[in-house]
Amino acid sequence: SANVGVKVYITSSGTNSYPSLRFTNDAREWRIYGSDGSQSDSFVIYDGTGAATRFKIDTSGDSYTNDGTVHSLSDSRLKKEVYALNDGLSIIEKLRPVEFQYNGSTSMTPDDGSVHYGFLADEVQEVAPQYVKEVSENIGGVLVDDIKTMSTTMMIPMLIKSIQELSERVKTLES
């Protein structure tokens, strides 16, 4: 079957000249364009009045909320087979936090000299594969199907478990 691109344009009408949101399914990406057709510097969601920014993704890929909060559905009524997390200090001790710069291999990893902090997903996969996913991504025009991704936010429960384990050790030593 042929790959057919579909573009969706969402624009505001009236006297205000807001940017348009364009989606092309063959590129699998959203792009923001200003009223003059140039690509915008950020994707912004405003409150109902358009006066206050509530969420923003800038050209560096950083995202912002008005108070730093990003929620995940967490109500117990939405979950089943809930078990205590075993991941904790034994994994944390094996992780290697790093400082790095991107090398420009993809459009999301610009070689702009910016310093980032995190982990190498390849190393995390060796000790905690449950926190790593593999996705497809174009690198230098070649589709690679094993690019490793991870969410450090998903690791927060493991960090809490590690703190609890350390707290128990301190209590034992103090008694």
Side-chain angles (χ1 to χ4, degrees):
S1 67
N3 185 3
V4 178
V6 176
K7 292 187 178 183
V8 176
Y9 297 90
I10 302 171
T11 58
S12 87
S13 59
T15 58
N16 294 328
S17 182
Y18 293 105
S20 63
L21 176 65
R22 302 178 186 179
F23 174 70
T24 306
N25 71 349
D26 57 330
R28 295 181 294 167
E29 61 188 20
W30 290 95
R31 291 187 182 254
I32 308 300
Y33 293 88
S35 58
D36 63 356
S38 63
Q39 192 162 338
S40 178
D41 291 337
S42 61
F43 172 74
V44 179
I45 297 175
Y46 293 95
D47 66 3
T49 67
T53 300
R54 296 298 182 213
F55 181 77
K56 174 182 173 181
I57 302 173
D58 69 17
T59 54
S60 72
D62 290 342
S63 58
Y64 303 86
T65 66
N66 61 340
D67 67 355
T69 302
V70 177
H71 286 270
S72 297
L73 294 174
S74 190
D75 190 292
S76 63
R77 296 171 292 178
L78 305 174
K79 300 175 181 182
K80 66 180 188 176
E81 298 187 42
V82 177
Y83 305 101
L85 183 66
N86 290 321
D87 297 352
L89 199 54
S90 62
I91 291 176
I92 294 295
E93 291 174 331
K94 296 174 186 171
L95 296 178
R96 183 174 72 109
V98 296
E99 170 180 305
F100 62 94
Q101 294 180 21
Y102 285 114
N103 64 14
S105 297
T106 72
S107 61
M108 287 192 63
T109 59
D111 185 1
D112 60 5
S114 296
V115 175
H116 302 273
Y117 308 92
F119 301 94
L120 299 177
D122 313 70
E123 293 177 1
V124 174
Q125 189 174 40
E126 291 177 18
V127 296
Q130 63 274 28
Y131 296 105
V132 177
K133 292 183 181 179
E134 291 186 353
V135 299
S136 297
E137 181 70 40
N138 276 313
I139 297 181
V142 176
L143 184 63
V144 178
D145 64 359
D146 62 349
I147 297 296
K148 292 160 191 67
T149 68
M150 58 177 289
S151 166
T152 52
T153 303
M154 288 179 52
M155 299 173 83
I156 291 173
M158 176 177 45
L159 295 172
I160 300 298
K161 174 73 173 172
S162 298
I163 292 168
Q164 291 170 340
E165 290 175 12
L166 289 172
S167 178
E168 283 301 315
R169 288 183 185 182
V170 169
K171 288 177 186 175
T172 300
L173 289 171
E174 288 179 341
S175 61

